[in-house]
Amino acid sequence: MGTMPFDLLLLLLPGAGRLPGDAASLATIKASELRAHVEFLASDELEGREAGSEAEGVAAAYLASRLHAFGLKPGGDEGGWLQHFRQGGRVMRNVVGILEGSDPRRRSEVVVLGAHFDHVGRGGAQSGGMGPKGEIHNGADDNASGTAALLELAEAFASAPPARTLVFAHFSGEEKGLLGSKHYVESPALPLESTVAMVNLDMIGRSRESYLFVGGLGTSPGWPAIVARAGESEKLALETAEGGRAPSDNTPFYEKGIPCLFLFTNIHEDYHGPGDDAEKLDYAGIERIGRAAWRLVAEVANAEGRLPFKEADSTALPADFGKRMRERMGGNRVRLGVRTGEPGPEGGLPVEEVFEGSPAASAGILDGDLLLAIGDAPLRTRAELMAALGKVKRGESARLRIRRGVEEISVEVRFPAEAPSRSSESRPARRDP
Ligand SMILES: [Zn+2]
């Protein structure tokens, strides 16, 4: 035999562990196929996949056809692939497939793998005001990346089902407030009492340098070792956190007492913007994260005993998530650093609060001032103030006309070149990834 590699030796030995089957399943998770899924889902034809839109239906049909081709069983309403739910008169759809477990004794127990496939459509208010209204927001990272990985995981597991049953849940309405996952936990494809774990893939497309964030390790004493093994096998640089909550679809499962994980490669300058495109993703990275997800799901789904639940009632996010969000929100925009009240009857925006250290404070703007204009642009509404500030770049200054008591004065406001600090933000915002 001599130089036969150890892996190959194992393949030839009957009953020599799980490696051969595992290797064959893992080999079906391919960067090229991940790319093909993302290129379809994040194409302009799908118009940003807003929940309840016609394009969301096209995406749902694509997902259902893939799950069908892999040999899964439909887990939606009335024997179909879709779970329907409504908001504001619009019908939205989750896509749900079931892969029955191979062990008759354990197949009544379930592991749910989830990823949301909806995005913010054409931006504007949908994107939390981060993306311009009207342009297509393709949502390649958010969350065609996790959706594509979920498809590849369905294919991989279908080639050799684990002991327990798997549910593949493509959620819609995540961007509108976790609507699809909230609906799922109220109308699950299989009972929640039998659901032993949930693994959520949301934004896993911008790994770079093997980075992966995994939240939720505190939701079961079993997770830390399982996650560490999966990360090591794929040589991922893991950042982990305990909390069962996140601004994503694992939260409703956590609230039902189910051990859950949140896999995420963090936000970036294209987050909820029109530049979140397919060509910017790290497909080799998604492949490795998909393989790691396969490993940890396989371990939970094949374990002799059920994974126990533990409370971990905090929000798990990467350490620099807040900093990145402030940079993203700041973006090319400047902030004045005031809270304004309702516009007065004769126009102008009353200042109710000036934030310490802000450009407004440095310019000497005071509580009770009435903002009349920036440059030539009159300020009659908050929207006009936002629009006027939107035309000023960081490092520049602007002239503000103000009424103070009976006087009308003019002040020069300087906007710093660097990103605004927390204290000068009018309102620190957090959005669902
Ligand atoms: Zn999002």
Side-chain angles (χ1 to χ4, degrees), residues 88-149:
R90 284 180 122 180
V91 178
M92 307 173 185
R93 318 132 179 113
N94 291 335
V95 183
V96 184
I98 298 173
L99 180 68
E100 188 164 63
S102 57
D103 178 5
R105 191 170 52 80
R106 284 175 290 175
R107 68 167 56 127
S108 64
E109 294 185 339
V110 180
V111 179
V112 175
L113 292 83
H116 79 87
F117 72 96
D118 67 304
H119 192 50
V120 301
R122 287 178 180 264
Q126 289 301 323
S127 69
M130 277 177 268
K133 191 171 168 59
E135 268 180 71
I136 297 172
H137 288 49
N138 300 98
D141 187 24
D142 187 6
N143 182 32
S145 64
T147 303

Side-chain angles (χ1 to χ4, degrees), residues 119 142 174-175 271-272 432-433:
H119 192 50
D142 187 6
E174 192 269 355
E175 303 285 8
Y271 170 64
H272 279 205
D432 294 346

Side-chain angles (χ1 to χ4, degrees), residues 271-288:
Y271 170 64
H272 279 205
D276 180 7
D277 289 331
E279 69 268 17
K280 294 181 185 166
L281 300 199
D282 171 9
Y283 293 97
I286 307 175
E287 183 183 295
R288 284 164 74 187

